Amino acid sequence: MASTPPAPAVAPSLVDTLFQRSLNDLVKSLRADPSAAGEAAAVARALSEIHREIRAPDAATKSVALQKLAYLSSLHFAPVGSHPLAFAAIELLASPHLPHKHLAYLAASLSLHPASLSLLPLATHQLHKDLSPSAGAAHQQHVSALAFQLLASPAATAAPDLPVHLAHDLVQHLARGSPRAIAAAARVIAASPSAAVPVLFKPLAACLASPDPRASTAAAAAFCDLSAPPADATPFLPLAPDLYNLLTTSRSNWALIKVLKVFARLAPLEPRLAARIVDPVCQLLTRSSAMSLTFECIRTVLTALPAHDAAVRLAIGKAKEFIAAADDPNLRYLGLLALGMLGPAYASTVNDCRDAIAKSLGDADTNIRQEALHLIMGMVNENNVVDIAGMLISHVAKSDPEFANDILGAVLAACGHNVYEMVVDFDWYVSLLADMARTLHCAQGDEIGRQLVDVGLRVQDARPELVRSARTLLIDPALLGNHFLFPVLSAAAWISGEYVDLTKDPVELVEALLQPRTSLLPISVRAVYIHAVFKVITWCFSVYVGRLGDSGMAMDVMFDRLAPDQTVSLDSNVALGSGEEQDIGASTVRKDPFSHESILYMIDLIQTTVGPLINCNEVEVQERAHNLIGFVHLVREIQELNKRKVADGDEPSRLKELVKTMRTVFCQELGPVSVNAQMKVAPPDGLILNENLVELAGMVSEDDTTPSTSIFFYPCSRHSVDTRDEPAVSIGSSSLSEHRKRHGLFYLQTGKTEDEPNDYPQANDSLPSSSNNSVINDDKSKTAELVFAGKKSTATKSRPKVVKLDTEDFLSSVMPSANVPKEDPLSGALRDVLLGSDAKALSSQRASDINLEGMLNKTSSNESSSHLIENLGSYPASRSSRTTSKQQNDDKEKGTNPRESDGKEPRKHRSSGRSGHRQGKHKHREKSSTQPDTIPQASVIQDFLL
Amino acid sequence: MINFVLLISRQGKVRLTKWYSPYTQKERTKVIRELSGLILTRGPKLCNFVEWRGYKVVYRRYASLYFCMCIDADDNELEVLEIIHHFVEILDRYFGSVCELDLIFNFHKAYYILDEILIAGELQESSKKNVARLIAAQAC
């Protein structure tokens, strides 16, 4: 063939025909070079040959070419233009020679698909001829069989008018009960119901009652196809008697399976049907030895006859036999599948074979394991969640990584579903979360970390256990190398910092948070670690200073190792439960974490490990390191005081105030907030949000980050602003409105605040902590649904209260009374407390590298600093009387900063607050000297926006 | 109903395709690629069903050939497994201990036999003797 000169335009010569390659030759040439390139070349060469040969007038040449083309197009997906193949095929359809005809029909059914329908109408006439009974044709039966074949192919049924033309030809074949005609008729009806149903439906239905088992089987299959789910099964209800007859008399399993399928679709439509078929189905179920029929019976009973208890029990029994089939994975899989079809009414039955299902979790087959996991998760309820989760977690260690994470994901999803509705014992759940994080292949760190924090926010009673679990996670240096666990560690660090007052040993905690391997953590997690250290050290100081106050002002005594006298140390308000007090007392014997030595040890540790991070080039870490180091420098004076033994009553009290203020910054409770809370805040009337701010839009949008998780925080601040004392907003009202737009969550709704209770805590009232939560919450309980249940009684273990957000009610009630100040919550309170050490140092660090000690001295030598700190300390409680008490001791500089110190949101908005603060301070200093009655917060807010 | 039938060799070569639902050429290539990746990697003692895009693929390996049939989610898996076996038995009877090469060089015969067994994705002829008789009659 290769010797033939290329003559594509002319018809093939006799030589071509004589030396035509057969299909065998083509296959051999394709197999000669198995590489992809060689195969492609062979295909291309063969195609060019075929294109020439297929134009041959000789039917034999044409048919061989067609055969080769059909081969290439079906197995090698050669880019065959549909035209030559389809056209030649239709030419050959008319061939009187049966093998040619057969080949032509094969080629047509292979090559025609919906995209190449243009030629199909050409075949209509030939099909019509082949379908009509002509007595003379020798192979009439085969010919019509071929025509049915083409008619039933997907391409033909997609052609719009073909069925319409040929429907009548099918009728006589249906009358003879030809199975192929039945299949073709079903396809024709499915393709164009409007045209075919009037003609074909009745003859097709008659075939159901045909004495020929082949016809009735084919008809059952046809109706099974036609009633398949997307279609409506109602039109087939009248067929029920015939189908029932078939069900009871047929001995063909193929037919019975199809009939059962149709009945499974009809039974829900006709209530009486279920009662009729339940007996025959049960008989088949008990009698049949064919597994396919048995399984079909099980499926029919479980999906369509759930009301017949005996049948369901029988089917469940069979399904259990399937699951127990040790040597056939197919049956095990189908058995689990069948149990999965059971509704919740039979959950207990499924529970009975929990052991068998649990065994399937270790199956070699992924499908079986997945199905078993699915089943087990389906049977979880609040009574067995502890058992099941424990069993599943024990399976995690034995599973491959992928399935292990499937299990973890399923447990997390089930337990976390609808705000942990299944979890009763949160202590258990918290330790389970920690266990999950420690499993070998755990890659679900994100979700575990999220849930740890979420449980901490929502379930007050779980916090002691949370802190314990967080400790075990944090002190394990091995976990720091696993990048999947970073979110978990981040959550653990946050929990340890936030609920530090529940910690047994803060010294150990600080050591864990600052261990050398923390350098492996990503920046964001590191920042959380450092911030947690800040909270811990602040709390330790507050306890320590509280004891100082307790033991009087004598410095000699102060630095002795004190026997703790918790009952009198109310200033610190550690608010430990009575049991915890004893614990603290006990640990004091070993090592008192609040002794002078411990504090100094922690300070040293912080300075050596966090100190270098001041030069870190990641802002998050750098900033927090600055905060922490600044604070440590501030309190370092304790040590110096100790050396000098200055018995000056002023200094310790100043320190005390400082520490107490810092503690106040962190001791506010954070609660969950609905994701769309902000959207619910309606802008007040008359507020035009876009006015004068168009030019700011670009700047604002740059740092306007949205929280990535579904949960973010707002402070349930204990102190409210009395808006009646608010001066009218005059300066920068548009800035304020823009800010309100961005952070509307933290604003009160104007007008409704009149209802606020006026009984705020006194200035030196106890700091909020877990023990006085109930008191505080009493005030809020009318408006916010945040009241936690009282102390959990360990004996009865009732489910603790879980804070849920009922979006509508909750928000409408909370938003007006969220007790959020109108002032700017952006400002970081620490920055104000540390203003000398931190903010200034930060601003000037790169330029002049002023040392912090110098700044500190400056601050402490400032004669009004004690006033300032006092003011700071009393600030959180004094908002309502701010304008009066504040203005009294307002002089040149201090009025500004306390105002910002109540921003209980240092966690969120610190970065944006940084630059603004510095400006605000200077600006306000000028202002307050000239116009003492200016509204401070308005200007501050404006500064922040700039 | 059966949506398509695939015969794939252990090396991933396609030996026979038959489509009972409309698929474009592009989709067919994609389906074959996906399924060979899914099925050829499965170990020997696993179950014969694979869930795939809301369908189920029932497959069975005979020597070096995988016979795969894709069915709807609520079809009977075991029945299809029996159909596959039925098909293989008829091939075996026709070719006399069938091997992969028989199907390669007589691809149209394999199609003819499949067409006798399945029409429109449903089993038509459950008698092996009948199929053999029909195929023999057509060959003349």
Side-chain angles (χ1 to χ4, degrees):
Chain A
M1 202 64 244
S3 60
T4 314
V10 296
S13 65
L14 184 65
V15 182
D16 287 336
T17 315
L18 280 176
F19 294 99
Q20 186 185 26
R21 291 200 302 175
S22 69
L23 177 65
N24 252 2
D25 300 332
L26 172 65
V27 173
K28 276 177 189 157
S29 80
L30 282 173
R31 290 169 62 79
D33 189 355
S35 73
E39 192 181 286
V43 168
R45 198 163 65 92
L47 277 179
S48 74
E49 276 172 25
I50 290 165
H51 275 251
R52 205 170 54 241
E53 291 164 8
I54 213 161
R55 290 198 195 86
D58 171 30
T61 314
K62 203 191 267 287
S63 72
V64 172
L66 190 60
Q67 191 181 28
K68 290 194 282 188
L69 192 54
Y71 175 83
L72 287 179
S73 74
S74 75
L75 293 190
H76 291 272
F77 305 107
V80 183
S82 60
H83 251 77
L85 176 61
F87 191 75
I90 286 162
E91 276 183 300
L92 273 184
L93 283 183
S95 167
H97 188 46
L98 189 59
H100 289 177
K101 210 180 189 56
H102 202 163
L103 194 63
Y105 271 108
L106 174 64
S109 71
L110 277 179
S111 61
L112 294 173
H113 47 83
S116 64
L117 287 176
S118 54
L119 282 172
L120 202 54
L122 289 179
T124 311
H125 175 69
Q126 187 58 41
L127 280 170
H128 184 70
K129 223 169 109 185
D130 286 345
L131 284 175
S132 62
S134 54
H139 306 292
Q140 180 53 41
Q141 198 194 346
H142 300 306
V143 169
S144 55
L146 292 175
F148 293 137
Q149 195 85 47
L150 184 60
L151 208 49
S153 77
T157 48
D161 45 355
L162 196 63
V164 184
H165 292 302
L166 296 173
H168 287 280
D169 295 313
L170 280 172
V171 176
Q172 48 183 324
H173 291 279
L174 286 178
R176 283 196 286 114
S178 153
R180 287 167 181 267
I182 291 169
R187 277 313 179 89
V188 169
I189 288 178
S192 58
S194 56
V197 166
V199 185
L200 294 176
F201 193 84
K202 264 196 178 155
L204 195 57
C207 290
L208 268 183
S210 163
D212 180 5
R214 290 168 70 227
S216 56
T217 304
F223 284 114
C224 179
D225 263 3
L226 288 174
S227 64
D232 180 18
T234 324
F236 304 101
L237 265 178
L239 303 176
D242 284 336
L243 288 167
Y244 181 79
N245 197 28
L246 209 53
L247 180 69
T248 47
T249 58
S250 175
R251 301 183 58 199
S252 158
N253 286 347
W254 309 100
L256 287 172
I257 289 174
K258 300 294 178 191
V259 170
L260 283 171
K261 273 199 191 302
V262 180
F263 270 126
R265 287 164 197 154
L266 294 181
L269 303 172
E270 172 56 61
R272 285 170 298 172
L273 208 52
R276 284 302 295 279
I277 62 170
V278 69
D279 278 340
V281 171
C282 285
Q283 274 179 19
L284 282 177
L285 193 54
T286 44
R287 251 197 358 238
S288 173
S289 59
M291 284 305 169
S292 53
L293 183 57
T294 310
F295 180 65
E296 199 54 50
C297 291
I298 295 175
R299 198 208 301 260
T300 308
V301 169
L302 295 186
T303 54
L305 312 169
H308 296 82
D309 222 27
V312 170
R313 254 179 275 123
L314 186 64
I316 291 175
K318 283 281 180 188
K320 284 182 184 170
E321 281 176 30
F322 275 28
I323 294 178
D327 54 343
D328 192 346
N330 290 338
L331 292 188
R332 290 205 300 273
Y333 173 73
L334 293 176
L336 293 171
L337 210 61
L339 286 187
M341 295 170 196
L342 278 173
Y346 288 91
S348 59
T349 323
V350 181
N351 224 339
D352 290 343
C353 35
R354 205 164 93 192
D355 291 340
I357 299 171
K359 213 176 125 201
S360 303
L361 281 178
D363 203 283
D365 194 335
T366 327
N367 290 347
I368 295 178
R369 290 197 304 247
Q370 289 286 1
E371 209 54 50
L373 180 62
H374 178 73
L375 261 183
I376 287 183
M377 295 329 289
M379 65 172 92
V380 172
N381 61 32
E382 57 192 50
N383 297 320
N384 60 15
V385 65
V386 177
D387 294 343
I388 289 182
M391 183 264 292
L392 285 175
I393 299 303
S394 71
H395 257 287
V396 167
K398 297 180 244 165
S399 306
D400 59 303
E402 194 187 344
F403 189 58
N405 279 299
D406 285 345
I407 294 180
L408 292 179
V411 173
L412 284 170
C415 293
H417 178 67
N418 199 5
V419 201
Y420 315 101
E421 67 178 352
M422 274 190 213
V423 181
V424 175
D425 182 357
F426 275 90
D427 286 356
W428 162 79
Y429 188 56
V430 165
S431 56
L432 179 79
L433 284 174
D435 286 345
M436 286 163 99
R438 271 194 293 264
T439 52
L440 190 57
H441 303 297
C442 175
Q444 303 277 349
D446 283 325
E447 180 62 12
I448 294 175
R450 190 194 70 77
Q451 290 202 1
L452 280 172
V453 172
D454 200 35
V455 168
L457 295 175
R458 293 177 191 271
V459 192
Q460 196 191 15
D461 289 345
R463 285 173 195 168
E465 179 58 33
L466 258 180
V467 170
R468 268 194 296 280
S469 295
R471 173 189 163 275
T472 57
L473 289 171
L474 289 175
I475 61 174
D476 187 351
L479 298 182
L480 285 164
N482 183 350
H483 70 275
F484 288 121
L485 294 188
F486 289 156
V488 180
L489 293 175
S490 171
W494 184 84
I495 287 164
S496 314
E498 186 63 23
Y499 309 118
V500 62
D501 43 357
L502 303 170
T503 301
K504 297 268 165 56
D505 188 352
V507 180
E508 181 193 52
L509 185 58
V510 169
E511 282 172 342
L513 288 169
L514 295 175
Q515 59 183 296
R517 276 171 68 90
T518 52
S519 58
L520 298 170
L521 293 171
I523 296 307
S524 56
V525 181
R526 257 202 126 176
V528 176
Y529 265 59
I530 294 171
H531 200 62
V533 173
F534 197 171
K535 289 177 185 170
V536 174
I537 196 79
T538 309
W539 178 70
C540 289
F541 263 109
S542 73
V543 176
Y544 171 66
V545 170
R547 286 190 198 168
L548 293 191
D550 176 41
S551 58
M553 293 304 170
M555 298 306 282
D556 303 330
V557 190
M558 181 191 315
F559 292 106
D560 286 346
R561 185 168 293 209
L562 295 173
D565 194 354
Q566 301 283 343
T567 48
V568 206
S569 66
L570 33 86
D571 277 351
S572 65
N573 240 305
V574 198
L576 302 156
S578 57
E580 314 241 342
E581 282 178 36
Q582 287 164 4
D583 282 344
I584 293 288
S587 70
T588 318
V589 181
R590 279 198 321 273
K591 184 185 176 188
D592 180 10
F594 308 112
S595 69
H596 189 66
E597 286 75 17
S598 300
I599 298 275
L600 285 183
Y601 168 71
M602 283 191 271
I603 288 178
D604 284 338
L605 187 65
I606 289 168
Q607 279 193 324
T608 48
T609 53
V610 181
L613 293 177
I614 286 180
N615 296 322
C616 176
N617 55 7
E618 293 291 339
V619 281
E620 281 284 325
V621 172
Q622 189 194 46
E623 181 187 18
R624 286 168 202 237
H626 266 295
N627 288 341
L628 183 51
I629 293 292
F631 178 70
V632 165
H633 273 296
L634 214 54
V635 293
R636 188 108 217 182
E637 293 167 50
I638 295 175
Q639 192 184 12
E640 289 154 18
L641 284 175
N642 189 18
K643 284 176 190 154
R644 280 183 258 140
K645 303 258 174 187
V646 185
D648 184 358
D650 191 34
E651 287 293 299
S653 75
R654 189 177 70 78
L655 266 176
K656 200 165 103 185
E657 291 301 333
L658 170 75
V659 167
K660 214 172 81 179
T661 309
M662 280 312 302
R663 180 66 194 141
T664 320
V665 168
F666 290 127
C667 66
Q668 273 198 320
E669 183 116 334
L670 295 172
V673 171
S674 166
V675 205
N676 43 10
Q678 186 158 349
M679 284 188 290
K680 307 268 170 131
V681 184
D685 294 337
L687 193 66
I688 301 150
L689 294 172
N690 295 327
E691 198 180 22
N692 284 342
L693 280 169
V694 185
E695 69 274 12
L696 287 179
M699 268 182 276
V700 169
S701 59
E702 277 171 23
D703 63 341
D704 197 5
T705 53
T706 48
S708 58
T709 59
S710 61
I711 290 293
F712 51 100
F713 309 117
Y714 75 97
C716 325
S717 106
R718 272 108 189 164
H719 318 291
S720 304
V721 184
D722 192 343
T723 43
R724 283 168 295 193
D725 290 347
E726 288 282 323
V729 176
S730 55
I731 300 176
S733 66
S734 57
S735 305
L736 176 62
S737 64
E738 177 66 18
H739 185 261
R740 178 189 285 271
K741 197 176 86 178
R742 289 177 57 196
H743 304 287
L745 176 63
F746 305 108
Y747 283 91
L748 291 171
Q749 274 185 346
T750 48
K752 294 197 183 173
T753 44
E754 312 279 331
D755 306 326
E756 282 290 300
N758 228 350
D759 48 345
Y760 304 109
Q762 291 306 302
N764 283 322
D765 201 353
S766 54
L767 294 177
S769 57
S770 58
S771 73
N772 57 2
N773 264 346
S774 54
V775 179
I776 291 147
N777 282 334
D778 280 349
D779 294 339
K780 302 174 61 186
S781 59
K782 295 164 212 143
T783 49
E785 300 279 348
L786 283 171
V787 190
F788 292 99
K791 288 281 172 194
K792 180 175 55 178
S793 77
T794 46
T796 54
K797 209 82 169 180
S798 63
R799 188 172 194 263
K801 181 130 189 168
V802 180
V803 180
K804 283 190 198 179
L805 298 177
D806 236 348
T807 43
E808 292 302 321
D809 311 351
F810 175 75
L811 282 171
S812 58
S813 62
V814 154
M815 286 322 294
S817 61
N819 303 338
V820 183
K822 274 222 174 224
E823 293 165 290
D824 176 31
L826 284 174
S827 55
L830 356 166
R831 202 163 302 285
D832 304 299
V833 177
L834 306 174
L835 81 145
S837 62
D838 192 21
K840 281 183 184 173
L842 253 181
S843 61
S844 57
Q845 180 203 9
R846 291 181 191 96
S848 58
D849 207 7
I850 298 171
N851 74 16
L852 291 168
E853 220 48 270
M855 302 306 299
L856 265 177
N857 291 340
K858 194 171 142 198
T859 314
S860 58
S861 64
N862 188 335
E863 43 182 81
S864 64
S865 62
S866 64
H867 292 286
L868 165 66
I869 290 163
E870 193 159 359
N871 200 358
L872 275 171
S874 63
Y875 181 67
S878 66
R879 262 181 232 152
S880 55
S881 55
R882 180 180 56 239
T883 42
T884 53
S885 68
K886 184 81 62 49
Q887 302 295 336
Q888 284 166 7
N889 54 4
D890 180 52
D891 55 21
K892 279 165 292 245
E893 61 185 321
K894 62 192 165 217
T896 55
N897 307 305
R899 198 136 297 150
E900 296 168 9
S901 75
D902 72 324
K904 302 301 184 189
E905 280 292 292
R907 297 160 183 82
K908 262 188 84 176
H909 299 295
R910 198 116 44 80
S911 57
S912 57
R914 175 194 281 191
S915 63
H917 167 66
R918 270 180 241 124
Q919 292 172 9
K921 188 174 147 256
H922 298 305
K923 211 167 191 172
H924 196 82
R925 198 174 286 181
E926 295 163 20
K927 273 181 193 154
S928 58
S929 60
T930 53
Q931 30 174 236
D933 277 346
T934 309
I935 335 86
Q937 73 274 23
S939 63
V940 169
I941 290 161
Q942 189 176 30
D943 293 338
F944 278 116
L945 281 174
L946 298 170
Chain B
M1 63 174 273
I2 297 165
N3 291 298
F4 55 80
V5 177
L6 288 182
L7 264 64
I8 308 175
S9 78
R10 209 175 42 181
Q11 289 79 28
K13 289 262 184 213
V14 184
R15 296 304 179 203
L16 187 147
T17 58
K18 182 80 188 178
W19 310 85
Y20 297 104
S21 299
Y23 289 86
T24 65
Q25 200 71 273
K26 213 173 177 180
E27 286 167 341
R28 295 180 183 186
T29 325
K30 199 173 157 211
V31 163
I32 290 171
R33 201 178 44 238
E34 274 183 32
L35 282 182
S36 4
L38 206 60
I39 288 169
L40 299 183
T41 50
R42 280 175 69 83
K45 292 208 167 170
L46 309 182
C47 72
N48 296 81
F49 318 125
V50 183
E51 281 175 42
W52 172 77
R53 296 210 203 164
Y55 295 101
K56 287 217 177 95
V57 177
V58 180
Y59 74 93
R60 192 160 201 174
R61 185 181 161 178
Y62 290 91
S64 60
L65 265 188
Y66 285 85
F67 289 70
C68 317
M69 293 191 182
C70 173
I71 54 173
D72 295 332
D74 62 343
D75 275 334
N76 193 317
E77 295 90 343
L78 293 174
E79 181 199 14
V80 176
L81 215 50
E82 285 166 22
I83 293 177
I84 291 179
H85 192 66
H86 184 61
F87 178 41
V88 173
E89 277 184 337
I90 292 173
L91 285 176
D92 206 44
R93 189 174 287 197
Y94 182 79
F95 289 106
S97 145
V98 66
C99 71
E100 199 180 334
L101 279 179
D102 290 330
L103 299 183
I104 293 170
F105 285 104
N106 298 291
F107 103 106
H108 54 294
K109 300 276 185 195
Y111 273 111
Y112 294 166
I113 293 173
L114 186 60
D115 283 346
E116 293 298 331
I117 299 170
L118 292 175
I119 292 188
E122 295 291 352
L123 182 85
Q124 288 308 311
E125 186 52 78
S126 54
S127 154
K128 288 166 211 143
K129 218 182 278 173
N130 268 348
V131 174
R133 194 172 49 78
L134 286 169
I135 298 286
Q138 285 167 8
C140 64

